[in-house]
C-alpha cells in the first residue's frame, strides 16, 4: 500500500450508534465523491472512515477560531501528501472543487498553513525581510484575482520562501480556486509571525455571494 506519506487521506468524520462522534459532523457523500474522483484520475488516496483518526490542530483551529465556533458545520479534512508534487496537489484542488459543485451545497475550502516557514526559536520572531516581502506579494496577487499567475509563480515562491508543507496546501487551494471559475472578493484580515514563519488570514467570497 505504500507509506502513509505517499497517500492522500480524505477523512469522513463518522458518528453513529457504534461509533464515538467527533465534535464536528462530517459529510460522507462529499468525502466519498472526492476519493472516487481521485481514484478515477489514478491518484493514490484512501477514504479514512475511522473515528480514531487524529485531527491535526491546523485542521481544527481555523474552523474553531474563524469560521464555526459552534462546531455545527460538516467538515471533510483532506491530508497533504509530502511526496506529492505541486501539480498533484493542484489537481486535488480541482477534484475537490468539482465534487463540491456537484453537491449543490454551499461549500467552503480552507487552506491551513503558513506562507514562508523557515522556523527559528521564539514565537514572536517573524520571517526574514526578503521572505516577508514574498509573503506580501503572494497575498497581493491573490487578493487582486491573479489566480493563474499565482499558480504559475508558486513553484518559484515555494523554493524561495519554503512555505509550510512545501506549499502543497497553497497548490491545492489554487486548484480549487481555478477550477471554481469564480472571481472572489478578498479580505486580508491579518498577517503575523510565529517562530520565523509568516501567517496570513485571508478570506475569499465569490462575487456571486457563495464562498
Amino acid at each position: 500500500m505504500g507509506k502513509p506519506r505517499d497517500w492522500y487521506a480524505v477523512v469522513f468524520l463518522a458518528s453513529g450508534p457504534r461509533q464515538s462522534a467527533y465534535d464536528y459532523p462530517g459529510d460522507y457523500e462529499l468525502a466519498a465523491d472526492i476519493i472516487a474522483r481521485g481514484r478515477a484520475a489514478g491518484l493514490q488516496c484512501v477514504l479514512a472512515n475511522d473515528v480514531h483518526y487524529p485531527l491535526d490542530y491546523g485542521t481544527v483551529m481555523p474552523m474553531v477560531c474563524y469560521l464555526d465556533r459552534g462546531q455545527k458545520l460538516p467538515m471533510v479534512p483532506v491530508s497533504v501528501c509530502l511526496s506529492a508534487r505541486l501539480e498533484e496537489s493542484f489537481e486535488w484542488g480541482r477534484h475537490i472543487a468539482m465534487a463540491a459543485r456537484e453537491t449543490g451545497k454551499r461549500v467552503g475550502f480552507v487552506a491551513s498553513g503558513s506562507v514562508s516557514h523557515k522556523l527559528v526559536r521564539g514565537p514572536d520572531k517573524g520571517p526574514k525581510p526578503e521572505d516577508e516581502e514574498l509573503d506580501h506579494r503572494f497575498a497581493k496577487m491573490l487578493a487582486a484575482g491573479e489566480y493563474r499567475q499565482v499558480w504559475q509563480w508558486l513553484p518559484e515562491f515555494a523554493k524561495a520562501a519554503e512555505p509550510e508543507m512545501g506549499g502543497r496546501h497553497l497548490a491545492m487551494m489554487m486548484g480549487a480556486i481555478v477550477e471554481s471559475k469564480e472571481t472572489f472578493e478578498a479580505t486580508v484580515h491579518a498577517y503575523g509571525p510565529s517562530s520565523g514563519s509568516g501567517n496570513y488570514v485571508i478570506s475569499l467570497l465569490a462575487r456571486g455571494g457563495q464562498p
Side-chain angles (χ1 to χ4, degrees), residues 4-8 80-85 165-166 168:
R5 63 177 291 168
D6 296 331
W7 290 68
Y8 278 86
V80 173
C81 179
L82 287 171
S83 298
R85 297 183 305 135
M165 302 303 293
R168 293 171 180 86

Side-chain angles (χ1 to χ4, degrees), residues 106 147 180-186 204-211:
R106 188 180 185 187
Y147 309 134
S180 75
K181 299 178 177 61
E182 295 275 4
T183 55
F184 297 87
E185 187 71 35
L204 301 174
L205 183 68
R207 294 189 186 277
Q210 298 292 317

Side-chain angles (χ1 to χ4, degrees), residues 49-130:
N49 188 356
D50 184 350
V51 297
H52 302 295
Y53 196 95
L55 294 179
D56 184 80
Y57 78 97
T59 299
V60 177
M61 292 305 292
M63 297 293 290
V64 174
C65 292
Y66 304 115
L67 298 173
D68 183 26
R69 292 182 183 273
Q71 298 176 243
K72 302 297 184 184
L73 297 175
M75 181 168 60
V76 178
V78 180
S79 68
V80 173
C81 179
L82 287 171
S83 298
R85 297 183 305 135
L86 292 176
E87 290 80 5
E88 182 179 344
S89 298
F90 181 86
E91 284 303 306
W92 271 112
R94 293 186 62 247
H95 291 307
I96 291 168
M98 287 186 282
R101 185 163 52 235
E102 289 296 319
T103 67
K105 300 175 182 177
R106 188 180 185 187
V107 179
F109 180 94
V110 180
S112 177
S114 300
V115 269
S116 59
H117 195 69
K118 299 175 183 177
L119 297 184
V120 297
R121 286 184 172 179
D124 59 326
K125 295 182 179 179
K128 295 178 181 179
E130 59 268 29

Side-chain angles (χ1 to χ4, degrees), residues 116-118 130-131 134 153-163:
S116 59
H117 195 69
K118 299 175 183 177
E130 59 268 29
D131 293 326
L134 291 172
W153 179 59
L154 185 59
E156 179 183 341
F157 172 74
K159 183 177 181 179
E162 299 179 14

Side-chain angles (χ1 to χ4, degrees), residues 21-40:
Y22 283 89
D23 291 334
Y24 268 96
D27 188 326
Y28 180 84
E29 291 183 357
L30 178 57
D33 190 20
I34 293 171
I35 285 294
R37 291 172 185 273
R39 287 175 176 166

